[in-house]
Amino acid sequence: DSGVTQTPKHLITATGQRVTLRCSPRSGDLSVYWYQQSLDQGLQFLIQYYNGEERAKGNILERFSAQQFPDLHSELNLSSLELGDSALYFCASSEGLAGTTDTQYFGPGTRLTVL
Amino acid sequence: DAKTTQPPSMDCAEGRAANLPCNHSTISGNEYVYWYRQIHSQGPQYIIHGLKNNETNEMASLIITEDRKSSTLILPHATLRDTAVYYCIVRQKTSGSRLTFGEGTQLTVNP
């Protein structure tokens, strides 16, 4: 158990809909990362937040957005869903402290199925 | 981040050591070598990381060549539960940098 929690575990929805995935980082971790794993793209970095502020963006679609709240949990919002958005979505967290190796620890993921 | 090259698959007998190689010939001085594994669609699990010295923890050992262009992850006594995809990742030393996953090595531990 990494200490990172994600809900829900599974999500089935229809095209055009909007969903929210939730992540709670390990206690004390300030950085949260979101990754997407689809069959054809592998594990890809989407976005990072540090202490409530967006820190880095990867291959995140404009239909997707994220935020980190004052209690440090994070949400990934996916809208206008398409069949190709079906994937595993992982959240990872790290201490986020400068001068450290800042290892990332992953949650169990949310499996999104768009029908 | 530097690109890594790993064999797509490897087999290992249960109880034997599993040696997983990784080439990272373009690694720069401020990049760490990280290893993660993913067991059948579970979240990637951190194994070990190193800069230039060999490292050992309760899960594995990491051997990095002197020129840092390649490394080997060693699972000393592989079990069936070690069957997973193993990812070798080279990552910037600065905190907060992303992980760039490649294809990894599918390790199958056979009874």
Side-chain angles (χ1 to χ4, degrees), chain B residues 25-40:
Chain B
S25 58
T26 58
I27 193 171
S28 62
N30 66 343
E31 289 177 320
Y32 281 91
V33 179
Y34 272 79
W35 284 83
Y36 282 80
R37 72 181 183 184
Q38 187 175 25
I39 300 171
H40 189 54

Side-chain angles (χ1 to χ4, degrees), chain A residues 15-94:
Chain A
T15 54
Q17 295 298 305
R18 171 189 170 96
V19 297
T20 298
L21 313 183
R22 182 188 169 103
C23 168
S24 293
R26 296 185 319 156
S27 176
D29 283 359
L30 299 177
S31 271
V32 169
Y33 307 76
W34 287 96
Y35 292 83
Q36 179 193 53
Q37 186 173 32
S38 58
L39 281 175
D40 56 346
Q41 294 287 328
L43 262 161
Q44 295 217 317
F45 168 75
L46 295 178
I47 197 165
Q48 179 210 355
Y49 277 80
Y50 171 77
N51 204 20
E53 300 290 327
E54 182 183 305
R55 175 65 65 88
K57 259 185 174 178
N59 300 321
I60 187 167
L61 300 171
E62 285 192 14
R63 300 184 285 109
F64 295 2
S65 65
Q67 57 185 136
Q68 186 180 26
F69 295 86
D71 67 353
L72 300 176
H73 91 271
S74 177
E75 291 181 357
L76 179 67
N77 299 296
L78 315 176
S79 61
S80 303
L81 285 168
E82 302 174 359
L83 296 177
D85 297 328
S86 294
L88 282 164
Y89 291 85
F90 293 106
C91 166
S93 74
S94 70

